[in-house]
Amino acid sequence: MIARYGLIALAAGAGIEGETVVIAGGLLAHQRYFPLAGAMAAAAAGSFVADQIFFMLGRNFRNRAWVRRVRKRPLFDRALGMLERHPIGFIFAFRFMYGFRTISPIAIGTTGISARLFVIVNLVSAIVWGIAFTTIGYLFGHGLEALIGRLLPDRHVILILAAIVIAIAALVGAWHWRRSRNIEES
């Protein structure tokens, strides 16, 4: 099941949950449940697509109530401030900055930054991010296996737990998506 649906779940989890799921995906690639390149591509694609969706939501629904609520968050103004000072650098780096991952593409979408510039920089950043965090899980697979192996004697339990984390991330993502659609409609 992991080999068949794992990359799809990894892409969904990367878009919603982020680093934890992608590192788990690297660990699963280390276990040869799917290819490392596939895990990297799924992580990058999931992150890229989610950020593009958030950008377009910010761009097309900037006057809706749910975007106005997001604008009231303190990180929103900080994101805009960093974007004004270093537009390309901020677009590239926001996914690597704790707390800025979801709010930033919405904030960027409410500005005059062109969609073309966002797509290009977001794509490059998503690829770097996907490769980096998948590689962390893959390279530290031996160390993680040894650590978890001491805690949990059966390695199948570890793989099941990793699959559960990915599945939960996908479910949480679906819940957030439905919730944002319901808020958008009101």
Side-chain angles (χ1 to χ4, degrees), residues 54 58 61-62 64-77 80 102-107 110 183:
F54 288 132
F61 299 103
R62 66 180 74 164
R64 296 288 178 117
W66 69 271
V67 174
R68 287 195 304 265
R69 281 193 299 274
V70 171
R71 282 183 162 179
K72 292 179 183 176
R73 295 181 187 173
L75 285 178
F76 193 91
D77 287 335
L80 289 178
T102 305
I103 202 164
S104 293
I106 296 170
T110 65
I183 290 171

mmCIF file with all atom_site columns, all heavy atoms in Angstrom, residues 54 58 61-62 64-77 80 102-107 110 183:
data_model
loop_
_atom_site.group_PDB
_atom_site.id
_atom_site.type_symbol
_atom_site.label_atom_id
_atom_site.label_alt_id
_atom_site.label_comp_id
_atom_site.label_asym_id
_atom_site.label_entity_id
_atom_site.label_seq_id
_atom_site.pdbx_PDB_ins_code
_atom_site.Cartn_x
_atom_site.Cartn_y
_atom_site.Cartn_z
_atom_site.occupancy
_atom_site.B_iso_or_equiv
_atom_site.pdbx_formal_charge
_atom_site.auth_seq_id
_atom_site.auth_comp_id
_atom_site.auth_asym_id
_atom_site.auth_atom_id
_atom_site.pdbx_PDB_model_num
ATOM 1   N N   . PHE A 1 54  ? -2.475  28.682 -2.612 1.00 0.00 ? 54  PHE A N   1
ATOM 2   C CA  . PHE A 1 54  ? -2.576  29.748 -1.614 1.00 0.00 ? 54  PHE A CA  1
ATOM 3   C C   . PHE A 1 54  ? -2.330  31.126 -2.249 1.00 0.00 ? 54  PHE A C   1
ATOM 4   O O   . PHE A 1 54  ? -3.004  32.105 -1.916 1.00 0.00 ? 54  PHE A O   1
ATOM 5   C CB  . PHE A 1 54  ? -1.608  29.516 -0.452 1.00 0.00 ? 54  PHE A CB  1
ATOM 6   C CG  . PHE A 1 54  ? -2.009  28.385 0.449  1.00 0.00 ? 54  PHE A CG  1
ATOM 7   C CD1 . PHE A 1 54  ? -1.081  27.431 0.822  1.00 0.00 ? 54  PHE A CD1 1
ATOM 8   C CD2 . PHE A 1 54  ? -3.294  28.265 0.939  1.00 0.00 ? 54  PHE A CD2 1
ATOM 9   C CE1 . PHE A 1 54  ? -1.435  26.379 1.661  1.00 0.00 ? 54  PHE A CE1 1
ATOM 10  C CE2 . PHE A 1 54  ? -3.664  27.220 1.764  1.00 0.00 ? 54  PHE A CE2 1
ATOM 11  C CZ  . PHE A 1 54  ? -2.730  26.287 2.127  1.00 0.00 ? 54  PHE A CZ  1
ATOM 12  N N   . GLY A 1 58  ? -5.056  34.172 -2.386 1.00 0.00 ? 58  GLY A N   1
ATOM 13  C CA  . GLY A 1 58  ? -4.758  35.541 -1.967 1.00 0.00 ? 58  GLY A CA  1
ATOM 14  C C   . GLY A 1 58  ? -5.008  36.541 -3.088 1.00 0.00 ? 58  GLY A C   1
ATOM 15  O O   . GLY A 1 58  ? -5.519  37.643 -2.860 1.00 0.00 ? 58  GLY A O   1
ATOM 16  N N   . PHE A 1 61  ? -9.118  36.341 -4.012 1.00 0.00 ? 61  PHE A N   1
ATOM 17  C CA  . PHE A 1 61  ? -10.118 36.496 -2.951 1.00 0.00 ? 61  PHE A CA  1
ATOM 18  C C   . PHE A 1 61  ? -9.629  37.439 -1.854 1.00 0.00 ? 61  PHE A C   1
ATOM 19  O O   . PHE A 1 61  ? -9.998  37.295 -0.702 1.00 0.00 ? 61  PHE A O   1
ATOM 20  C CB  . PHE A 1 61  ? -10.473 35.129 -2.360 1.00 0.00 ? 61  PHE A CB  1
ATOM 21  C CG  . PHE A 1 61  ? -11.062 34.194 -3.374 1.00 0.00 ? 61  PHE A CG  1
ATOM 22  C CD1 . PHE A 1 61  ? -10.294 33.179 -3.923 1.00 0.00 ? 61  PHE A CD1 1
ATOM 23  C CD2 . PHE A 1 61  ? -12.366 34.345 -3.800 1.00 0.00 ? 61  PHE A CD2 1
ATOM 24  C CE1 . PHE A 1 61  ? -10.823 32.327 -4.873 1.00 0.00 ? 61  PHE A CE1 1
ATOM 25  C CE2 . PHE A 1 61  ? -12.904 33.501 -4.749 1.00 0.00 ? 61  PHE A CE2 1
ATOM 26  C CZ  . PHE A 1 61  ? -12.136 32.484 -5.289 1.00 0.00 ? 61  PHE A CZ  1
ATOM 27  N N   . ARG A 1 62  ? -8.805  38.426 -2.225 1.00 0.00 ? 62  ARG A N   1
ATOM 28  C CA  . ARG A 1 62  ? -8.192  39.307 -1.226 1.00 0.00 ? 62  ARG A CA  1
ATOM 29  C C   . ARG A 1 62  ? -9.202  40.112 -0.428 1.00 0.00 ? 62  ARG A C   1
ATOM 30  O O   . ARG A 1 62  ? -8.900  40.561 0.664  1.00 0.00 ? 62  ARG A O   1
ATOM 31  C CB  . ARG A 1 62  ? -7.156  40.208 -1.863 1.00 0.00 ? 62  ARG A CB  1
ATOM 32  C CG  . ARG A 1 62  ? -7.720  41.215 -2.831 1.00 0.00 ? 62  ARG A CG  1
ATOM 33  C CD  . ARG A 1 62  ? -6.653  42.078 -3.431 1.00 0.00 ? 62  ARG A CD  1
ATOM 34  N NE  . ARG A 1 62  ? -5.930  41.276 -4.396 1.00 0.00 ? 62  ARG A NE  1
ATOM 35  C CZ  . ARG A 1 62  ? -5.135  41.736 -5.317 1.00 0.00 ? 62  ARG A CZ  1
ATOM 36  N NH1 . ARG A 1 62  ? -4.913  43.006 -5.390 1.00 0.00 ? 62  ARG A NH1 1
ATOM 37  N NH2 . ARG A 1 62  ? -4.548  40.953 -6.167 1.00 0.00 ? 62  ARG A NH2 1
ATOM 38  N N   . ARG A 1 64  ? -12.237 38.916 0.473  1.00 0.00 ? 64  ARG A N   1
ATOM 39  C CA  . ARG A 1 64  ? -13.144 38.019 1.194  1.00 0.00 ? 64  ARG A CA  1
ATOM 40  C C   . ARG A 1 64  ? -12.838 38.054 2.685  1.00 0.00 ? 64  ARG A C   1
ATOM 41  O O   . ARG A 1 64  ? -11.715 38.349 3.111  1.00 0.00 ? 64  ARG A O   1
ATOM 42  C CB  . ARG A 1 64  ? -13.011 36.585 0.692  1.00 0.00 ? 64  ARG A CB  1
ATOM 43  C CG  . ARG A 1 64  ? -13.414 36.392 -0.735 1.00 0.00 ? 64  ARG A CG  1
ATOM 44  C CD  . ARG A 1 64  ? -14.950 36.496 -0.863 1.00 0.00 ? 64  ARG A CD  1
ATOM 45  N NE  . ARG A 1 64  ? -15.351 36.356 -2.244 1.00 0.00 ? 64  ARG A NE  1
ATOM 46  C CZ  . ARG A 1 64  ? -16.092 35.383 -2.703 1.00 0.00 ? 64  ARG A CZ  1
ATOM 47  N NH1 . ARG A 1 64  ? -16.528 34.446 -1.902 1.00 0.00 ? 64  ARG A NH1 1
ATOM 48  N NH2 . ARG A 1 64  ? -16.411 35.353 -3.973 1.00 0.00 ? 64  ARG A NH2 1
ATOM 49  N N   . ALA A 1 65  ? -13.818 37.669 3.469  1.00 0.00 ? 65  ALA A N   1
ATOM 50  C CA  . ALA A 1 65  ? -13.686 37.734 4.927  1.00 0.00 ? 65  ALA A CA  1
ATOM 51  C C   . ALA A 1 65  ? -12.546 36.861 5.443  1.00 0.00 ? 65  ALA A C   1
ATOM 52  O O   . ALA A 1 65  ? -11.805 37.270 6.340  1.00 0.00 ? 65  ALA A O   1
ATOM 53  C CB  . ALA A 1 65  ? -15.008 37.315 5.586  1.00 0.00 ? 65  ALA A CB  1
ATOM 54  N N   . TRP A 1 66  ? -12.373 35.670 4.891  1.00 0.00 ? 66  TRP A N   1
ATOM 55  C CA  . TRP A 1 66  ? -11.329 34.791 5.415  1.00 0.00 ? 66  TRP A CA  1
ATOM 56  C C   . TRP A 1 66  ? -9.938  35.333 5.127  1.00 0.00 ? 66  TRP A C   1
ATOM 57  O O   . TRP A 1 66  ? -9.025  35.154 5.929  1.00 0.00 ? 66  TRP A O   1
ATOM 58  C CB  . TRP A 1 66  ? -11.496 33.353 4.923  1.00 0.00 ? 66  TRP A CB  1
ATOM 59  C CG  . TRP A 1 66  ? -11.245 33.145 3.464  1.00 0.00 ? 66  TRP A CG  1
ATOM 60  C CD1 . TRP A 1 66  ? -12.145 33.233 2.456  1.00 0.00 ? 66  TRP A CD1 1
ATOM 61  C CD2 . TRP A 1 66  ? -9.992  32.829 2.864  1.00 0.00 ? 66  TRP A CD2 1
ATOM 62  N NE1 . TRP A 1 66  ? -11.529 32.982 1.252  1.00 0.00 ? 66  TRP A NE1 1
ATOM 63  C CE2 . TRP A 1 66  ? -10.206 32.730 1.476  1.00 0.00 ? 66  TRP A CE2 1
ATOM 64  C CE3 . TRP A 1 66  ? -8.720  32.608 3.358  1.00 0.00 ? 66  TRP A CE3 1
ATOM 65  C CZ2 . TRP A 1 66  ? -9.199  32.429 0.579  1.00 0.00 ? 66  TRP A CZ2 1
ATOM 66  C CZ3 . TRP A 1 66  ? -7.702  32.309 2.464  1.00 0.00 ? 66  TRP A CZ3 1
ATOM 67  C CH2 . TRP A 1 66  ? -7.955  32.227 1.098  1.00 0.00 ? 66  TRP A CH2 1
ATOM 68  N N   . VAL A 1 67  ? -9.749  36.033 3.999  1.00 0.00 ? 67  VAL A N   1
ATOM 69  C CA  . VAL A 1 67  ? -8.445  36.642 3.720  1.00 0.00 ? 67  VAL A CA  1
ATOM 70  C C   . VAL A 1 67  ? -8.242  37.846 4.633  1.00 0.00 ? 67  VAL A C   1
ATOM 71  O O   . VAL A 1 67  ? -7.137  38.065 5.135  1.00 0.00 ? 67  VAL A O   1
ATOM 72  C CB  . VAL A 1 67  ? -8.304  37.035 2.231  1.00 0.00 ? 67  VAL A CB  1
ATOM 73  C CG1 . VAL A 1 67  ? -7.006  37.790 1.973  1.00 0.00 ? 67  VAL A CG1 1
ATOM 74  C CG2 . VAL A 1 67  ? -8.377  35.802 1.346  1.00 0.00 ? 67  VAL A CG2 1
ATOM 75  N N   . ARG A 1 68  ? -9.292  38.600 4.893  1.00 0.00 ? 68  ARG A N   1
ATOM 76  C CA  . ARG A 1 68  ? -9.175  39.733 5.831  1.00 0.00 ? 68  ARG A CA  1
ATOM 77  C C   . ARG A 1 68  ? -8.788  39.230 7.219  1.00 0.00 ? 68  ARG A C   1
ATOM 78  O O   . ARG A 1 68  ? -8.015  39.881 7.925  1.00 0.00 ? 68  ARG A O   1
ATOM 79  C CB  . ARG A 1 68  ? -10.480 40.527 5.874  1.00 0.00 ? 68  ARG A CB  1
ATOM 80  C CG  . ARG A 1 68  ? -10.695 41.362 4.612  1.00 0.00 ? 68  ARG A CG  1
ATOM 81  C CD  . ARG A 1 68  ? -11.770 42.418 4.789  1.00 0.00 ? 68  ARG A CD  1
ATOM 82  N NE  . ARG A 1 68  ? -13.045 41.870 5.215  1.00 0.00 ? 68  ARG A NE  1
ATOM 83  C CZ  . ARG A 1 68  ? -14.045 41.543 4.410  1.00 0.00 ? 68  ARG A CZ  1
ATOM 84  N NH1 . ARG A 1 68  ? -13.912 41.698 3.109  1.00 0.00 ? 68  ARG A NH1 1
ATOM 85  N NH2 . ARG A 1 68  ? -15.170 41.072 4.884  1.00 0.00 ? 68  ARG A NH2 1
ATOM 86  N N   . ARG A 1 69  ? -9.298  38.069 7.621  1.00 0.00 ? 69  ARG A N   1
ATOM 87  C CA  . ARG A 1 69  ? -8.896  37.497 8.916  1.00 0.00 ? 69  ARG A CA  1
ATOM 88  C C   . ARG A 1 69  ? -7.426  37.105 8.910  1.00 0.00 ? 69  ARG A C   1
ATOM 89  O O   . ARG A 1 69  ? -6.717  37.310 9.894  1.00 0.00 ? 69  ARG A O   1
ATOM 90  C CB  . ARG A 1 69  ? -9.766  36.286 9.269  1.00 0.00 ? 69  ARG A CB  1
ATOM 91  C CG  . ARG A 1 69  ? -11.127 36.658 9.831  1.00 0.00 ? 69  ARG A CG  1
ATOM 92  C CD  . ARG A 1 69  ? -11.830 35.469 10.456 1.00 0.00 ? 69  ARG A CD  1
ATOM 93  N NE  . ARG A 1 69  ? -12.085 34.375 9.526  1.00 0.00 ? 69  ARG A NE  1
ATOM 94  C CZ  . ARG A 1 69  ? -13.136 34.270 8.722  1.00 0.00 ? 69  ARG A CZ  1
ATOM 95  N NH1 . ARG A 1 69  ? -14.054 35.217 8.729  1.00 0.00 ? 69  ARG A NH1 1
ATOM 96  N NH2 . ARG A 1 69  ? -13.284 33.239 7.926  1.00 0.00 ? 69  ARG A NH2 1
ATOM 97  N N   . VAL A 1 70  ? -6.967  36.523 7.812  1.00 0.00 ? 70  VAL A N   1
ATOM 98  C CA  . VAL A 1 70  ? -5.557  36.150 7.693  1.00 0.00 ? 70  VAL A CA  1
ATOM 99  C C   . VAL A 1 70  ? -4.687  37.397 7.742  1.00 0.00 ? 70  VAL A C   1
ATOM 100 O O   . VAL A 1 70  ? -3.620  37.400 8.348  1.00 0.00 ? 70  VAL A O   1
ATOM 101 C CB  . VAL A 1 70  ? -5.308  35.338 6.399  1.00 0.00 ? 70  VAL A CB  1
ATOM 102 C CG1 . VAL A 1 70  ? -3.824  35.138 6.143  1.00 0.00 ? 70  VAL A CG1 1
ATOM 103 C CG2 . VAL A 1 70  ? -6.021  34.000 6.456  1.00 0.00 ? 70  VAL A CG2 1
ATOM 104 N N   . ARG A 1 71  ? -5.151  38.478 7.129  1.00 0.00 ? 71  ARG A N   1
ATOM 105 C CA  . ARG A 1 71  ? -4.393  39.745 7.120  1.00 0.00 ? 71  ARG A CA  1
ATOM 106 C C   . ARG A 1 71  ? -4.197  40.309 8.525  1.00 0.00 ? 71  ARG A C   1
ATOM 107 O O   . ARG A 1 71  ? -3.257  41.068 8.753  1.00 0.00 ? 71  ARG A O   1
ATOM 108 C CB  . ARG A 1 71  ? -5.107  40.793 6.275  1.00 0.00 ? 71  ARG A CB  1
ATOM 109 C CG  . ARG A 1 71  ? -4.919  40.609 4.822  1.00 0.00 ? 71  ARG A CG  1
ATOM 110 C CD  . ARG A 1 71  ? -5.599  41.728 4.077  1.00 0.00 ? 71  ARG A CD  1
ATOM 111 N NE  . ARG A 1 71  ? -5.066  41.780 2.738  1.00 0.00 ? 71  ARG A NE  1
ATOM 112 C CZ  . ARG A 1 71  ? -5.456  42.630 1.828  1.00 0.00 ? 71  ARG A CZ  1
ATOM 113 N NH1 . ARG A 1 71  ? -6.376  43.527 2.098  1.00 0.00 ? 71  ARG A NH1 1
ATOM 114 N NH2 . ARG A 1 71  ? -4.928  42.603 0.627  1.00 0.00 ? 71  ARG A NH2 1
ATOM 115 N N   . LYS A 1 72  ? -5.057  39.969 9.458  1.00 0.00 ? 72  LYS A N   1
ATOM 116 C CA  . LYS A 1 72  ? -4.951  40.486 10.827 1.00 0.00 ? 72  LYS A CA  1
ATOM 117 C C   . LYS A 1 72  ? -3.878  39.769 11.642 1.00 0.00 ? 72  LYS A C   1
ATOM 118 O O   . LYS A 1 72  ? -3.510  40.244 12.700 1.00 0.00 ? 72  LYS A O   1
ATOM 119 C CB  . LYS A 1 72  ? -6.305  40.378 11.534 1.00 0.00 ? 72  LYS A CB  1
ATOM 120 C CG  . LYS A 1 72  ? -7.340  41.309 10.954 1.00 0.00 ? 72  LYS A CG  1
ATOM 121 C CD  . LYS A 1 72  ? -8.666  41.159 11.654 1.00 0.00 ? 72  LYS A CD  1
ATOM 122 C CE  . LYS A 1 72  ? -9.701  42.061 10.990 1.00 0.00 ? 72  LYS A CE  1
ATOM 123 N NZ  . LYS A 1 72  ? -11.019 41.884 11.581 1.00 0.00 ? 72  LYS A NZ  1
ATOM 124 N N   . ARG A 1 73  ? -3.375  38.660 11.150 1.00 0.00 ? 73  ARG A N   1
ATOM 125 C CA  . ARG A 1 73  ? -2.328  37.936 11.878 1.00 0.00 ? 73  ARG A CA  1
ATOM 126 C C   . ARG A 1 73  ? -1.020  38.729 11.821 1.00 0.00 ? 73  ARG A C   1
ATOM 127 O O   . ARG A 1 73  ? -0.667  39.299 10.792 1.00 0.00 ? 73  ARG A O   1
ATOM 128 C CB  . ARG A 1 73  ? -2.111  36.553 11.276 1.00 0.00 ? 73  ARG A CB  1
ATOM 129 C CG  . ARG A 1 73  ? -3.310  35.659 11.430 1.00 0.00 ? 73  ARG A CG  1
ATOM 130 C CD  . ARG A 1 73  ? -3.010  34.304 10.845 1.00 0.00 ? 73  ARG A CD  1
ATOM 131 N NE  . ARG A 1 73  ? -4.179  33.469 10.838 1.00 0.00 ? 73  ARG A NE  1
ATOM 132 C CZ  . ARG A 1 73  ? -4.236  32.296 10.261 1.00 0.00 ? 73  ARG A CZ  1
ATOM 133 N NH1 . ARG A 1 73  ? -3.175  31.803 9.645  1.00 0.00 ? 73  ARG A NH1 1
ATOM 134 N NH2 . ARG A 1 73  ? -5.340  31.593 10.297 1.00 0.00 ? 73  ARG A NH2 1
ATOM 135 N N   . PRO A 1 74  ? -0.288  38.755 12.938 1.00 0.00 ? 74  PRO A N   1
ATOM 136 C CA  . PRO A 1 74  ? 0.971   39.516 12.969 1.00 0.00 ? 74  PRO A CA  1
ATOM 137 C C   . PRO A 1 74  ? 1.986   39.055 11.914 1.00 0.00 ? 74  PRO A C   1
ATOM 138 O O   . PRO A 1 74  ? 2.718   39.881 11.367 1.00 0.00 ? 74  PRO A O   1
ATOM 139 C CB  . PRO A 1 74  ? 1.517   39.266 14.375 1.00 0.00 ? 74  PRO A CB  1
ATOM 140 C CG  . PRO A 1 74  ? 0.375   38.774 15.182 1.00 0.00 ? 74  PRO A CG  1
ATOM 141 C CD  . PRO A 1 74  ? -0.608  38.167 14.228 1.00 0.00 ? 74  PRO A CD  1
ATOM 142 N N   . LEU A 1 75  ? 2.030   37.765 11.619 1.00 0.00 ? 75  LEU A N   1
ATOM 143 C CA  . LEU A 1 75  ? 2.987   37.272 10.633 1.00 0.00 ? 75  LEU A CA  1
ATOM 144 C C   . LEU A 1 75  ? 2.690   37.790 9.224  1.00 0.00 ? 75  LEU A C   1
ATOM 145 O O   . LEU A 1 75  ? 3.585   37.862 8.388  1.00 0.00 ? 75  LEU A O   1
ATOM 146 C CB  . LEU A 1 75  ? 3.017   35.744 10.622 1.00 0.00 ? 75  LEU A CB  1
ATOM 147 C CG  . LEU A 1 75  ? 3.740   35.078 11.778 1.00 0.00 ? 75  LEU A CG  1
ATOM 148 C CD1 . LEU A 1 75  ? 3.658   33.562 11.665 1.00 0.00 ? 75  LEU A CD1 1
ATOM 149 C CD2 . LEU A 1 75  ? 5.190   35.520 11.842 1.00 0.00 ? 75  LEU A CD2 1
ATOM 150 N N   . PHE A 1 76  ? 1.446   38.148 8.967  1.00 0.00 ? 76  PHE A N   1
ATOM 151 C CA  . PHE A 1 76  ? 1.080   38.651 7.645  1.00 0.00 ? 76  PHE A CA  1
ATOM 152 C C   . PHE A 1 76  ? 1.841   39.936 7.356  1.00 0.00 ? 76  PHE A C   1
ATOM 153 O O   . PHE A 1 76  ? 2.458   40.088 6.301  1.00 0.00 ? 76  PHE A O   1
ATOM 154 C CB  . PHE A 1 76  ? -0.436  38.882 7.573  1.00 0.00 ? 76  PHE A CB  1
ATOM 155 C CG  . PHE A 1 76  ? -0.958  39.092 6.187  1.00 0.00 ? 76  PHE A CG  1
ATOM 156 C CD1 . PHE A 1 76  ? -1.392  38.018 5.438  1.00 0.00 ? 76  PHE A CD1 1
ATOM 157 C CD2 . PHE A 1 76  ? -1.024  40.362 5.629  1.00 0.00 ? 76  PHE A CD2 1
ATOM 158 C CE1 . PHE A 1 76  ? -1.885  38.194 4.155  1.00 0.00 ? 76  PHE A CE1 1
ATOM 159 C CE2 . PHE A 1 76  ? -1.511  40.550 4.348  1.00 0.00 ? 76  PHE A CE2 1
ATOM 160 C CZ  . PHE A 1 76  ? -1.940  39.466 3.608  1.00 0.00 ? 76  PHE A CZ  1
ATOM 161 N N   . ASP A 1 77  ? 1.816   40.882 8.300  1.00 0.00 ? 77  ASP A N   1
ATOM 162 C CA  . ASP A 1 77  ? 2.536   42.139 8.112  1.00 0.00 ? 77  ASP A CA  1
ATOM 163 C C   . ASP A 1 77  ? 4.042   41.921 8.038  1.00 0.00 ? 77  ASP A C   1
ATOM 164 O O   . ASP A 1 77  ? 4.734   42.582 7.265  1.00 0.00 ? 77  ASP A O   1
ATOM 165 C CB  . ASP A 1 77  ? 2.206   43.126 9.237  1.00 0.00 ? 77  ASP A CB  1
ATOM 166 C CG  . ASP A 1 77  ? 0.805   43.699 9.098  1.00 0.00 ? 77  ASP A CG  1
ATOM 167 O OD1 . ASP A 1 77  ? 0.279   43.738 7.964  1.00 0.00 ? 77  ASP A OD1 1
ATOM 168 O OD2 . ASP A 1 77  ? 0.229   44.106 10.125 1.00 0.00 ? 77  ASP A OD2 1
ATOM 169 N N   . LEU A 1 80  ? 4.817   40.680 4.575  1.00 0.00 ? 80  LEU A N   1
ATOM 170 C CA  . LEU A 1 80  ? 4.779   41.768 3.595  1.00 0.00 ? 80  LEU A CA  1
ATOM 171 C C   . LEU A 1 80  ? 6.010   42.662 3.716  1.00 0.00 ? 80  LEU A C   1
ATOM 172 O O   . LEU A 1 80  ? 6.558   43.112 2.697  1.00 0.00 ? 80  LEU A O   1
ATOM 173 C CB  . LEU A 1 80  ? 3.500   42.594 3.759  1.00 0.00 ? 80  LEU A CB  1
ATOM 174 C CG  . LEU A 1 80  ? 2.203   41.915 3.338  1.00 0.00 ? 80  LEU A CG  1
ATOM 175 C CD1 . LEU A 1 80  ? 1.013   42.832 3.598  1.00 0.00 ? 80  LEU A CD1 1
ATOM 176 C CD2 . LEU A 1 80  ? 2.243   41.491 1.887  1.00 0.00 ? 80  LEU A CD2 1
ATOM 177 N N   . THR A 1 102 ? 2.419   28.857 5.288  1.00 0.00 ? 102 THR A N   1
ATOM 178 C CA  . THR A 1 102 ? 1.081   28.947 4.699  1.00 0.00 ? 102 THR A CA  1
ATOM 179 C C   . THR A 1 102 ? 0.641   30.385 4.476  1.00 0.00 ? 102 THR A C   1
ATOM 180 O O   . THR A 1 102 ? 0.007   30.691 3.467  1.00 0.00 ? 102 THR A O   1
ATOM 181 C CB  . THR A 1 102 ? 0.058   28.230 5.596  1.00 0.00 ? 102 THR A CB  1
ATOM 182 O OG1 . THR A 1 102 ? 0.498   26.899 5.805  1.00 0.00 ? 102 THR A OG1 1
ATOM 183 C CG2 . THR A 1 102 ? -1.315  28.208 4.972  1.00 0.00 ? 102 THR A CG2 1
ATOM 184 N N   . ILE A 1 103 ? 1.000   31.256 5.395  1.00 0.00 ? 103 ILE A N   1
ATOM 185 C CA  . ILE A 1 103 ? 0.516   32.631 5.304  1.00 0.00 ? 103 ILE A CA  1
ATOM 186 C C   . ILE A 1 103 ? 1.200   33.422 4.191  1.00 0.00 ? 103 ILE A C   1
ATOM 187 O O   . ILE A 1 103 ? 0.601   34.291 3.573  1.00 0.00 ? 103 ILE A O   1
ATOM 188 C CB  . ILE A 1 103 ? 0.649   33.334 6.672  1.00 0.00 ? 103 ILE A CB  1
ATOM 189 C CG1 . ILE A 1 103 ? -0.306  34.501 6.756  1.00 0.00 ? 103 ILE A CG1 1
ATOM 190 C CG2 . ILE A 1 103 ? 2.072   33.761 6.943  1.00 0.00 ? 103 ILE A CG2 1
ATOM 191 C CD1 . ILE A 1 103 ? -0.517  35.006 8.161  1.00 0.00 ? 103 ILE A CD1 1
ATOM 192 N N   . SER A 1 104 ? 2.468   33.101 3.909  1.00 0.00 ? 104 SER A N   1
ATOM 193 C CA  . SER A 1 104 ? 3.236   33.893 2.943  1.00 0.00 ? 104 SER A CA  1
ATOM 194 C C   . SER A 1 104 ? 2.676   33.875 1.524  1.00 0.00 ? 104 SER A C   1
ATOM 195 O O   . SER A 1 104 ? 2.562   34.933 0.900  1.00 0.00 ? 104 SER A O   1
ATOM 196 C CB  . SER A 1 104 ? 4.696   33.454 2.948  1.00 0.00 ? 104 SER A CB  1
ATOM 197 O OG  . SER A 1 104 ? 5.279   33.782 4.183  1.00 0.00 ? 104 SER A OG  1
ATOM 198 N N   . PRO A 1 105 ? 2.338   32.704 0.957  1.00 0.00 ? 105 PRO A N   1
ATOM 199 C CA  . PRO A 1 105 ? 1.811   32.769 -0.411 1.00 0.00 ? 105 PRO A CA  1
ATOM 200 C C   . PRO A 1 105 ? 0.491   33.531 -0.499 1.00 0.00 ? 105 PRO A C   1
ATOM 201 O O   . PRO A 1 105 ? 0.223   34.189 -1.508 1.00 0.00 ? 105 PRO A O   1
ATOM 202 C CB  . PRO A 1 105 ? 1.648   31.313 -0.829 1.00 0.00 ? 105 PRO A CB  1
ATOM 203 C CG  . PRO A 1 105 ? 1.970   30.478 0.333  1.00 0.00 ? 105 PRO A CG  1
ATOM 204 C CD  . PRO A 1 105 ? 2.516   31.344 1.413  1.00 0.00 ? 105 PRO A CD  1
ATOM 205 N N   . ILE A 1 106 ? -0.299  33.487 0.559  1.00 0.00 ? 106 ILE A N   1
ATOM 206 C CA  . ILE A 1 106 ? -1.539  34.279 0.569  1.00 0.00 ? 106 ILE A CA  1
ATOM 207 C C   . ILE A 1 106 ? -1.182  35.758 0.578  1.00 0.00 ? 106 ILE A C   1
ATOM 208 O O   . ILE A 1 106 ? -1.731  36.549 -0.192 1.00 0.00 ? 106 ILE A O   1
ATOM 209 C CB  . ILE A 1 106 ? -2.420  33.910 1.786  1.00 0.00 ? 106 ILE A CB  1
ATOM 210 C CG1 . ILE A 1 106 ? -2.885  32.459 1.686  1.00 0.00 ? 106 ILE A CG1 1
ATOM 211 C CG2 . ILE A 1 106 ? -3.623  34.857 1.884  1.00 0.00 ? 106 ILE A CG2 1
ATOM 212 C CD1 . ILE A 1 106 ? -3.559  31.920 2.939  1.00 0.00 ? 106 ILE A CD1 1
ATOM 213 N N   . ALA A 1 107 ? -0.237  36.134 1.458  1.00 0.00 ? 107 ALA A N   1
ATOM 214 C CA  . ALA A 1 107 ? 0.197   37.531 1.529  1.00 0.00 ? 107 ALA A CA  1
ATOM 215 C C   . ALA A 1 107 ? 0.777   37.995 0.197  1.00 0.00 ? 107 ALA A C   1
ATOM 216 O O   . ALA A 1 107 ? 0.459   39.094 -0.279 1.00 0.00 ? 107 ALA A O   1
ATOM 217 C CB  . ALA A 1 107 ? 1.229   37.701 2.653  1.00 0.00 ? 107 ALA A CB  1
ATOM 218 N N   . THR A 1 110 ? -1.747  38.875 -2.391 1.00 0.00 ? 110 THR A N   1
ATOM 219 C CA  . THR A 1 110 ? -2.490  40.132 -2.228 1.00 0.00 ? 110 THR A CA  1
ATOM 220 C C   . THR A 1 110 ? -1.696  41.346 -2.701 1.00 0.00 ? 110 THR A C   1
ATOM 221 O O   . THR A 1 110 ? -2.220  42.450 -2.697 1.00 0.00 ? 110 THR A O   1
ATOM 222 C CB  . THR A 1 110 ? -2.899  40.353 -0.755 1.00 0.00 ? 110 THR A CB  1
ATOM 223 O OG1 . THR A 1 110 ? -1.726  40.522 0.045  1.00 0.00 ? 110 THR A OG1 1
ATOM 224 C CG2 . THR A 1 110 ? -3.756  39.212 -0.233 1.00 0.00 ? 110 THR A CG2 1
ATOM 225 N N   . ILE A 1 183 ? -15.494 28.474 4.270  1.00 0.00 ? 183 ILE A N   1
ATOM 226 C CA  . ILE A 1 183 ? -15.315 29.859 4.699  1.00 0.00 ? 183 ILE A CA  1
ATOM 227 C C   . ILE A 1 183 ? -15.429 30.784 3.489  1.00 0.00 ? 183 ILE A C   1
ATOM 228 O O   . ILE A 1 183 ? -16.042 31.844 3.562  1.00 0.00 ? 183 ILE A O   1
ATOM 229 C CB  . ILE A 1 183 ? -13.944 30.033 5.407  1.00 0.00 ? 183 ILE A CB  1
ATOM 230 C CG1 . ILE A 1 183 ? -13.973 29.322 6.757  1.00 0.00 ? 183 ILE A CG1 1
ATOM 231 C CG2 . ILE A 1 183 ? -13.600 31.501 5.577  1.00 0.00 ? 183 ILE A CG2 1
ATOM 232 C CD1 . ILE A 1 183 ? -12.633 29.246 7.438  1.00 0.00 ? 183 ILE A CD1 1
#
